[in-house]
Amino acid sequence: MELWRQLNQAGLVPPGLGPPPQALREPPAVGRAGQTLISPGADTAGAREGLLWLWEELGHLRQVDIQLLGQLCSLGLEMGALREELFTFLEEDEESLIEEEEEEEEEPEGKQKEGHLEASCSALRNQLPDFEMTI
C-alpha cells in the first residue's frame, strides 16, 4: 500500500478513484473458513473440504490482486516521471526554437516553419494521456 500512497501523493490517482478495497489494504483473515457453521447430520466432510479449497483459492486470488495493484502503482509512478521528463524536453526544445527564431529573423519562411513546429509541440503537450486505473 506504500506504492498507492506514493501514487496519491504524486497526484497521479485519477479524480473520483477512491482508495483500494479494504480486502487489499488489510492483512488476510486467517482461520475464518473453519469457523463456518455447518448443520449437524449432513455430509459435512465433503462440504468442509470444498469450503477449505474455495477459501484457499480466494486467498491466492487476493495475493494476485495485491501484486497487480503494486505493479499498477509502480507503472503509474514511472509514467509520472516520464511525463515530467517529456515536459522538460518539450520546454527545452521550445526554448531552443525561440533562440533560433531570434537568430534567423531575416528569413520569413523559416519563421513560419518554426512557428508551426512550436504549435505542434504545444499541441502534443496538451494531448498527453492521463494515467487512469480501474480496480
Side-chain angles (χ1 to χ4, degrees), residues 80-130:
L82 289 172
R83 178 181 284 164
E84 290 299 318
E85 287 180 32
L86 179 61
F87 284 149
T88 302
F89 174 76
L90 289 174
E91 287 174 358
E92 290 172 356
D93 192 43
E94 190 173 320
E95 289 173 5
S96 68
L97 287 175
I98 291 172
E99 290 173 4
E100 288 177 12
E101 185 177 289
E102 291 173 355
E103 292 173 359
E104 299 176 1
E105 287 181 349
E106 65 274 355
E107 285 187 50
E109 188 177 308
K111 286 183 183 178
Q112 291 174 353
K113 288 180 182 176
E114 289 172 5
H116 177 68
L117 183 59
E118 186 175 320
S120 66
C121 287
S122 297
L124 176 63
R125 185 180 311 135
N126 293 333
Q127 295 175 350
L128 289 174
D130 287 332

Side-chain angles (χ1 to χ4, degrees), residues 11-95:
L12 298 172
V13 175
L17 184 65
Q22 185 176 358
L24 298 179
R25 289 182 277 157
E26 296 178 357
V30 179
R32 288 168 74 187
Q35 297 171 357
T36 304
L37 297 175
I38 299 176
S39 55
D43 178 23
T44 59
R48 183 169 177 78
E49 285 179 27
L51 183 61
L52 289 174
W53 176 83
L54 181 63
W55 192 256
E56 288 176 16
E57 290 303 311
L58 286 173
H60 295 302
L61 290 173
R62 182 181 182 280
Q63 290 301 316
V64 169
D65 286 346
I66 290 171
Q67 289 173 354
L68 289 174
L69 179 61
Q71 290 173 354
L72 284 171
C73 291
S74 295
L75 182 61
L77 291 169
E78 286 181 38
M79 288 176 64
L82 289 172
R83 178 181 284 164
E84 290 299 318
E85 287 180 32
L86 179 61
F87 284 149
T88 302
F89 174 76
L90 289 174
E91 287 174 358
E92 290 172 356
D93 192 43
E94 190 173 320
E95 289 173 5

